Amino acid sequence: MNQQEEGWIKTTCAYCGVGCGVEARPKACGELEVRGDQNHPSNYGKLCTKGIALGDTVVHEGRLLYPTLNTQSASQTLDWDEATQMVADRFSQTIEEHGRDSVAFYVSGQLLTEDYYVANKLIKGFMGSANIDSNSRLCMASSVVGHKRAFGSDTVPICYEDLEQAEMVVIVGSNLAWCHPVLFQRLRIAKQSNPALNIVVIDPRRTDTCDLADSHLAIASGSDVALFNGLLSHLQQHDALDEPYIATHTQGFQHALETATRDIDLTQVTQLSTEQLHQFYCAFAHTERVVTIYSQGVNQSSRGSDKVNAILNCHLATGKIGKPGSGPFSITGQPNAMGGREVGALANTLTAHMEFENPRHQQLIREFWQTEQLATQPGLKAIDMFDAIECGKIKAIWIMATNPMVSLPNSDKIQSALTKCPLVVVSDCIADTETTRMADIVLPAQGWSEKSGTVTNSERRISRQRRILPSPGQAKPDWWIISQVAQKMGHTDAFNYQHEGEVFNEYARLTTLDNLQNERDLNLIGLTSLDAQGYSRLTPQQWPVTELQQQTTNQRLFSDGRFNTPNHRGRFVAVCYHPPVATITHDTPLILNSGRTRDHWHTMTRTGLSAQLAKHCSEPYVQIHPNTAAQFSITDGHLAWVSNAQGTALVRANVTCDVSPQQLFMPIHWNDTTANHSKPCALIANTTDKASGQPEFKHSAVAISPYQRNSCALFISKKIIHLKGIDYWARQKIQGGYVYRIESTLPINELAKALALYLDRDERCQIRNESAQGKARWITLDAHARPVQFVSLQDHFTKQQVSELIEAFNQPSELFKADEMIEIAL
Ligand SMILES: Nc1nc2c(c(=O)[nH]1)N[C@H]1C(S)=C(S)[C@@H](COP(=O)(O)OP(=O)(O)OC[C@H]3O[C@@H](n4cnc5c(=O)[nH]c(N)nc54)[C@H](O)[C@@H]3O)O[C@H]1N2
Ligand SMILES: Nc1nc2c(c(=O)[nH]1)N[C@H]1C(S)=C(S)[C@@H](COP(=O)(O)OP(=O)(O)OC[C@H]3O[C@@H](n4cnc5c(=O)[nH]c(N)nc54)[C@H](O)[C@@H]3O)O[C@H]1N2
Ligand code: SF4
Ligand SMILES: [Mo]
C-alpha cells in the first residue's frame, strides 16, 4: 500500500526554521496522527517533541471563528464581505485623510510565502507605503544586514549536510538542542560517527546544547565582536589566513584587520581565560572545515549586525565558505522567516531581493505589478513603527500572525500605542491573545494543517505546507483575506487570485525579472512553469531553482568565490567592540537575558494547548546563580520579583550554576493570557541595533527581590478561567483541563474568598472549609458527580502533591470523596 492510499499527507512542521518534513493523517476520531517524513532532506523522518505533539495543538478549543468588530460596549460578528469591506474602507479613508504613511502592516515569519507576498504587494505596490515590517525584525534582521554588507545579498550559503561534513562546529548564541532540535540530533549523530568533530558552544549561559560540546565558552554578555575580532587578529598573527582567497575574492581586509587589532583587554571584555581563547583560536585556525552556527545571542543585540560581520570576516579570511563542511550559518527561527525575507516583507527591501535604492528594480516591479503607486522609500521598522503609532503618525495597523503585545520590547508602550491607534486589525487563529484583546476588528485565519502554501527553511529549502483538516468556523487563508481587502480597495485585477498556487507562480516569475544570469541568487525560474498539479505535488526544492529538482540536491552558495556585490568580491566589514547599551547600576545590579524553553513556542498560543508539552516546564521562571540568590535572599522554587524602572515580573526562581553571578535568564513564553506578570518584554527597553533595527532582547539591567507569600492555591478546572487581581497565577494545560498555580500575600481566608468568585456556580458546588487549620478545599461536580473544578488552598504544595491532585482530577479517587465536602456559604 503506498502512502497516499494509507491517507498520509506530506506537509512541513509548523514550528522552527529547520523545516522538518511531516506526514499527517486524520484519525476516525477526528484527531491528527503525525510522523516524520523519511524522505524529507531536512529531517529524514526525525521530529522533536514539538513536532511529535503537533496533533495535540489542532484542537478547536479557543479558536477564533468569525470576523468580529469590537467596540467599547460590545462585540459584533460580521460576515466576510462586511469585514473585508470595513477593513478596506477604513484603510482607504485613513490614507485619504492622513496620507500613505499613516497606515502599516506588522506581519510574521509564521505566514506562508503566498500570504507574505500578497501582503507586501498590497501595501508597497498599491497602498504606496513601505510601512510593512515583520517579527523577523526581532529575529533575523541583524543577519540580513550582515549578509548584505558582506555578500551583497541576503544569502545563507550553507546546506544542512555541511554539519555532517564539518570537522569543527562553533555554535554562537544558539541553544540548538532546544530551539532547532532535529539539527542538533543530526549533529549528535555526526559526532557519534566522528568523535573528533570539535564542537564549541559560545553562550554566557550553560544550556543543554553544551552537553554535546567539547568546550563551552561562557562569554560575557554582548562581547562576541571582541571575541571574533580577536580571532581575526590571531589568524593573521599565526599565518592562518587564506591569502590567495583574500586577494582574489574579497575586499576591505586591511581595514577590518586594523580595526580588529585595536587594543582591548580581551580577557577582561569576554571574561574568558587566555587559555580558553587560545584553544578556540588555534582550533579554528588549524581546522579546515568549520561551520559557525549563530542565532539570537548574536542577532538580538545593539551590535547584532557587527557581531554577524565579525563572524563572517573570520570565514572570509580563511576561505571557509562555500566549501563542503564550511561556512557561516545564520540559523532561522520561524518556519518561514526566510520566505518573508525573500518576498521582501521587511520595511527596507522591495521584493525578491530587489532594493529601493535601485531605480531599475523599482521600474521592473512597477511594470510587473502594473501599478503607479509603488512605494519608493523604505518604511518604518518594527520598533519605529510602534513609536509612530504611539505618537499618532500611524493611524491604522493590520497585525497578522504575531503577538506584539508579548513579543515586542517595552510592553507598556506597545499597549499604549495600540490603545491610541484609531484602527487595529488583527488576523490570528486564536480568539484570546494579548494582541487580539487590543483589536477593533479581528479576522479568523486558518492555522497549520488547514492552510496551504510554501515555506522556506534555514538552508533555503522551499517545502509545501498542505491542507489536511477542515478549518473551524469562518477561518480563511491569510492570502485570501488580504486579497479580498485589496479587491475592495479597488485593485480587482491585481489581486484576483483563485488559489495559493497562482500567488506562488506570480512570485516565482517575479524572481526571474532581469535575472537571466542569476544576478540575484534568489531565482525560482525552475518553478515558474508549475501548473496546479505540479504545485500540489511540489517536493522540497532548494533555491536557486534553475530547474525543477526531481531528486534531492544539496547546494551551497559562493563555492566559486563570486559574491553578489557589484565587483563580485566578498566584503570585510570593519567592526569595533562596543559594550551593550544597558549598564548595571546600584538599583539594577543584574543583567537579564531572555530566550526559549524546549517545549514551548513563543507566546504559547499553540504549544500551550498540549498537556504533553506543558510537562517539560510548567511555570514562568528566572534562572539565578546560587551566590546571587544568597545575596538577594532568593530561595530556589520560591517566587521572586524581577524589576526595573520600566516594569516588573513575578516568576519562580530556579537557582542554578548555569548562569553567571551577574546574569538572570527568563523564558519568553508566558504572558497575560497564561500567567500574571510574567513577560520579560515588560522589562526590556526598545534599544536597537542602529543598522538592523533589531532589539537588544538579551541584555537589560534589572533588580531581583523575594516575594513573601502568605498563601498558595491550586485551582484545577476543565475550562479556562480568567483570574483577576491575584498576585501570582500561572496556567498549565493538563489532560482534560488546566491547572492554575496561585500564590498571594493575602491570608488563606482572604485568598479563599477571592478564588470563590471563580467557582462554577452552574455546577453542583460542594465545599469543604478547613480554613481554620490553614487549609480549604472545594470541588464542583457535574450531574454525573465528575469533578469540574477543584480548588485547594494551603501554605505550600510539594511537587508530589501537585501531581497527585492533577492525577486525581481526571480519575476521581478518595481525594475527591464527595462526603468529605461540606457546603458553606461564601
Ligand atoms: N523550543 C522552541 N524552539 C524555537 C522557538 C521557540 O519559541 N521554542 N522559536 C524559534 C525562533 S523564532 C527562534 S528566533 C529561534 C531562536 O533560537 P536561539 O537563538 O537558539 O534561542 P534563544 O533561547 O533565544 O537564545 C539563544 C542563546 O543566546 C544566548 N545569549 C544571550 N546573550 C548572548 C551573547 O551576548 N552572546 C552569545 N554568544 N550568546 C548569548 C542565550 O543565553 C541563549 O542560550 O528558536 C526557534 N525555535
Ligand atoms: N524578550 C524577548 N522577546 C522576544 C524574543 C526573545 O528572545 N526575547 N524573540 C523574538 C523573536 S526571535 C520572535 S520570532 C518573536 C516571536 O513572537 P510572536 O510572533 O509574537 O509570537 P507567536 O506566539 O509565534 O505569535 C504568532 C501569532 O500568530 C498566530 N498564528 C499562527 N499561525 C497563524 C497563521 O497562519 N495566520 C495568522 N493570521 N495567525 C497565525 C498565533 O496564534 C499567534 O498568536 O518574539 C520576539 N520577542
Ligand atoms: S526541529 Fe523544528 S521543524 Fe523539526 S520537528 Fe522540531 S520544531 Fe518542527
Ligand atoms: Mo525568531
Side-chain angles (χ1 to χ4, degrees):
M1 216 189 275
N2 70 26
Q3 285 182 358
Q4 215 102 43
E5 286 169 71
E6 288 174 31
W8 290 103
I9 297 172
K10 284 182 191 289
T11 186
T12 311
C13 177
Y15 300 114
C16 83
V18 178
C20 294
V22 167
E23 289 174 344
R25 66 174 176 189
K27 291 198 264 188
C29 59
E31 287 172 12
L32 191 67
E33 207 177 344
V34 165
R35 68 182 187 192
D37 178 355
Q38 302 282 346
N39 297 319
H40 197 289
S42 302
N43 59 317
Y44 297 107
K46 294 192 176 57
L47 292 178
C48 74
T49 45
K50 294 186 296 301
I52 291 166
L54 273 165
D56 295 357
T57 64
V58 294
V59 292
H60 286 188
E61 187 183 4
R63 282 293 297 270
L64 185 55
L65 298 176
Y66 307 101
T68 309
L69 172 68
N70 296 325
T71 58
Q72 260 174 353
S73 49
S75 285
Q76 181 195 342
T77 301
L78 306 171
D79 66 29
W80 272 114
D81 197 40
E82 290 168 319
T84 49
Q85 188 69 54
M86 195 176 284
V87 174
D89 291 348
R90 296 282 304 268
F91 270 94
S92 299
Q93 197 187 344
T94 309
I95 292 173
E96 213 165 282
E97 286 172 16
H98 304 283
R100 300 183 181 287
D101 291 329
S102 63
V103 297
F105 290 178
Y106 183 55
V107 296
S108 156
Q110 288 164 80
L111 291 173
L112 301 173
T113 297
E114 292 74 3
D115 306 324
Y116 244 147
Y117 176 82
V118 176
N120 191 51
K121 178 177 175 183
L122 173 58
I123 190 159
K124 285 200 186 119
F126 292 82
M127 289 161 86
S129 165
N131 285 341
I132 174 168
D133 215 33
S134 162
N135 63 357
S136 287
R137 182 69 58 197
L138 318 178
C139 184
M140 314 312 315
S142 299
S143 280
V144 175
V145 168
H147 287 156
K148 283 187 180 174
R149 292 200 298 208
F151 308 147
S153 60
D154 176 20
T155 306
V156 176
I158 210 127
C159 57
Y160 293 166
E161 201 185 57
D162 288 321
L163 291 182
E164 279 118 24
Q165 301 193 359
E167 297 164 300
M168 177 175 181
V169 175
V170 187
I171 304 177
V172 197
S174 147
N175 185 5
L176 204 70
W178 282 11
C179 296
H180 299 92
V182 166
L183 272 194
F184 187 72
Q185 287 179 36
R186 282 180 71 159
L187 197 58
R188 188 193 294 280
I189 294 167
K191 175 95 175 158
Q192 275 160 1
S193 56
N194 171 22
L197 171 63
N198 180 11
I199 299 177
V200 180
V201 173
I202 300 170
D203 191 316
R205 208 165 56 106
R206 198 202 168 280
T207 63
D208 277 10
T209 306
C210 300
D211 292 350
L212 198 60
D214 296 275
S215 50
H216 168 215
L217 305 183
I219 190 177
S221 166
S223 65
D224 305 73
V225 172
L227 178 72
F228 283 90
N229 272 352
L231 173 58
L232 191 65
S233 349
H234 175 98
L235 295 168
Q236 191 259 338
Q237 284 156 16
H238 295 81
D239 288 334
L241 298 171
D242 186 339
E243 305 271 9
Y245 190 91
I246 295 175
T248 324
H249 298 302
T250 72
Q251 61 186 324
F253 176 69
Q254 271 315 322
H255 182 40
L257 180 69
E258 279 154 29
T259 317
T261 36
R262 277 192 200 149
D263 207 19
I264 57 165
D265 184 343
L266 253 190
T267 51
Q268 195 255 327
V269 168
T270 61
Q271 296 285 299
L272 299 172
S273 67
T274 318
E275 204 184 318
Q276 281 178 308
L277 290 169
H278 187 72
Q279 213 179 24
F280 168 54
Y281 290 171
C282 289
F284 191 99
H286 296 134
T287 311
E288 198 185 317
R289 285 178 278 146
V290 183
V291 171
T292 305
I293 301 179
Y294 55 94
S295 184
Q296 302 314 339
V298 169
N299 291 332
Q300 290 174 340
S301 151
S302 51
R303 295 284 164 175
S305 308
D306 288 355
K307 287 186 179 186
V308 170
N309 285 108
I311 294 170
L312 302 185
N313 285 347
C314 296
H315 278 269
L316 287 173
T318 48
K320 295 189 206 304
I321 183 164
K323 296 175 186 159
S326 267
F329 181 16
S330 152
I331 188 163
T332 52
Q334 299 175 91
N336 201 28
M338 287 285 256
R341 285 148 72 172
E342 291 154 17
V343 303
L346 287 166
N348 49 328
T349 61
L350 265 172
T351 177
H353 285 193
M354 288 186 268
E355 303 296 341
F356 282 107
E357 298 74 41
N358 186 327
R360 172 80 186 134
H361 286 172
Q362 290 196 20
Q363 188 199 347
L364 285 170
I365 296 165
R366 215 175 278 123
E367 284 167 9
F368 185 79
W369 281 346
Q370 299 193 1
T371 179
E372 293 304 317
Q373 313 296 337
L374 185 74
T376 51
Q377 298 289 330
L380 296 174
K381 298 180 185 132
I383 300 293
D384 300 333
M385 185 184 277
F386 280 81
D387 282 350
I389 300 173
E390 164 82 9
C391 70
K393 280 194 199 140
I394 289 178
K395 298 190 185 294
I397 183 157
W398 189 350
I399 299 168
M400 306 175 202
T402 177
N403 196 352
M405 283 284 293
V406 184
S407 54
L408 276 174
N410 203 347
S411 315
D412 280 356
K413 187 162 181 185
I414 304 303
Q415 176 159 23
S416 138
L418 291 180
T419 309
K420 281 183 199 165
C421 190
L423 177 65
V424 178
V425 180
V426 177
S427 304
D428 207 293
C429 317
I430 301 297
D432 183 31
T433 76
E434 278 201 44
T435 304
T436 57
R437 289 177 185 181
M438 304 303 295
D440 301 296
I441 301 174
V442 284
L443 303 173
Q446 289 181 345
W448 181 85
S449 80
E450 300 152 15
K451 59 184 185 177
S452 162
T454 54
V455 290
T456 310
N457 74 359
S458 292
E459 58 167 353
R460 311 181 313 284
R461 201 177 293 281
I462 299 169
S463 297
R464 285 292 319 272
Q465 274 199 15
R466 290 188 170 89
R467 191 170 292 124
I468 299 158
L469 298 172
S471 45
Q474 296 293 314
K476 290 283 186 192
D478 287 285
W479 67 262
W480 182 90
I481 304 172
I482 305 159
S483 302
Q484 289 298 306
V485 169
Q487 292 190 29
K488 292 189 167 120
M489 290 180 84
H491 315 300
T492 326
D493 294 339
F495 291 87
N496 189 19
Y497 306 110
Q498 304 302 314
H499 186 270
E500 55 274 9
E502 292 175 17
V503 181
F504 186 81
N505 180 272
E506 181 179 312
Y507 159 62
R509 284 188 287 117
L510 181 71
T511 67
T512 67
L513 297 182
D514 239 10
N515 203 10
L516 277 177
Q517 310 292 326
N518 284 331
E519 287 83 355
R520 299 185 308 278
D521 52 18
L522 172 60
N523 192 339
L524 305 184
I525 191 158
L527 302 180
T528 50
S529 54
L530 287 181
D531 56 11
Q533 210 177 42
Y535 178 78
S536 158
R537 291 187 180 156
L538 188 65
T539 52
Q541 308 279 320
Q542 208 187 13
W543 66 254
V545 194
T546 38
E547 250 176 82
L548 186 70
Q549 294 155 19
Q550 302 297 351
Q551 301 229 298
T552 295
T553 51
N554 287 306
Q555 297 186 72
R556 57 188 65 80
L557 295 174
F558 310 137
S559 296
D560 55 2
R562 266 173 76 89
F563 293 89
N564 297 320
T565 53
N567 62 4
H568 298 298
R569 283 169 176 267
R571 287 187 290 234
F572 284 93
V573 179
V575 290
C576 289
Y577 165 73
H578 292 272
V581 174
T583 47
I584 54 170
T585 63
H586 178 262
D587 293 336
T588 51
L590 299 167
I591 291 299
L592 176 68
N593 177 5
S594 63
R596 287 146 177 86
T597 60
R598 193 191 71 189
D599 287 356
H600 276 305
W601 177 262
H602 297 166
T603 71
M604 292 170 78
T605 57
R606 289 176 290 163
T607 48
L609 299 168
S610 163
Q612 188 56 35
L613 292 178
K615 282 183 190 159
H616 178 247
C617 188
S618 48
E619 277 179 284
Y621 61 88
V622 59
Q623 289 184 311
I624 180 168
H625 189 273
N627 297 352
T628 320
Q631 186 185 350
F632 294 98
S633 312
I634 304 296
T635 313
D636 188 41
H638 286 231
L639 293 179
W641 287 108
V642 184
S643 57
N644 58 18
Q646 196 176 281
T648 51
L650 182 58
V651 286
R652 203 162 294 286
N654 169 4
V655 177
T656 166
C657 291
D658 289 350
V659 289
S660 74
Q662 303 77 38
Q663 209 175 41
L664 306 175
F665 174 87
M666 270 176 69
I668 59 174
H669 310 293
W670 284 267
N671 57 79
D672 289 1
T673 60
T674 45
N676 200 20
H677 303 307
S678 58
K679 294 189 288 189
C681 278
L683 302 147
I684 296 173
N686 47 9
T687 308
T688 56
D689 176 299
K690 289 218 165 42
S692 69
Q694 184 155 355
E696 180 141 78
F697 279 123
K698 305 234 180 297
H699 194 101
S700 309
V702 295
I704 191 161
S705 57
Y707 170 80
Q708 304 293 355
R709 66 160 184 241
N710 284 315
S711 52
C712 286
L714 210 63
F715 198 134
I716 308 181
S717 173
K718 289 244 175 251
K719 286 186 286 191
I720 287 179
I721 47 172
H722 295 282
L723 294 170
K724 288 207 175 82
I726 308 275
D727 286 357
Y728 175 84
W729 59 267
R731 182 176 97 203
Q732 180 194 344
K733 176 82 180 94
I734 54 167
Q735 208 63 45
Y738 300 87
V739 58
Y740 292 79
R741 290 174 175 80
I742 293 165
E743 294 197 18
S744 173
T745 49
L746 296 172
I748 275 192
N749 280 344
E750 296 293 315
L751 179 62
K753 274 189 207 154
L755 291 181
L757 298 174
Y758 298 95
L759 288 179
D760 201 338
R761 300 287 171 179
D762 295 342
E763 308 294 342
R764 196 152 63 94
C765 179
Q766 299 189 344
I767 294 165
R768 175 176 190 180
N769 184 6
E770 291 178 284
S771 50
Q773 297 97 49
K775 278 188 178 180
R777 280 189 157 193
W778 313 316
I779 191 162
T780 68
L781 304 169
D782 66 12
H784 306 285
R786 285 181 306 229
V788 175
Q789 289 178 323
F790 170 73
V791 186
S792 176
L793 290 104
Q794 55 195 54
D795 295 335
H796 171 70
F797 290 91
T798 62
K799 276 193 179 157
Q800 172 84 9
Q801 284 172 316
V802 175
S803 348
E804 280 170 11
L805 288 170
I806 291 176
E807 182 103 344
F809 185 70
N810 279 310
Q811 283 156 350
S813 62
E814 63 267 27
L815 278 171
F816 290 123
K817 260 197 204 151
D819 57 5
E820 279 190 12
M821 307 289 163
I822 303 166
E823 219 166 310
I824 57 155
L826 280 156

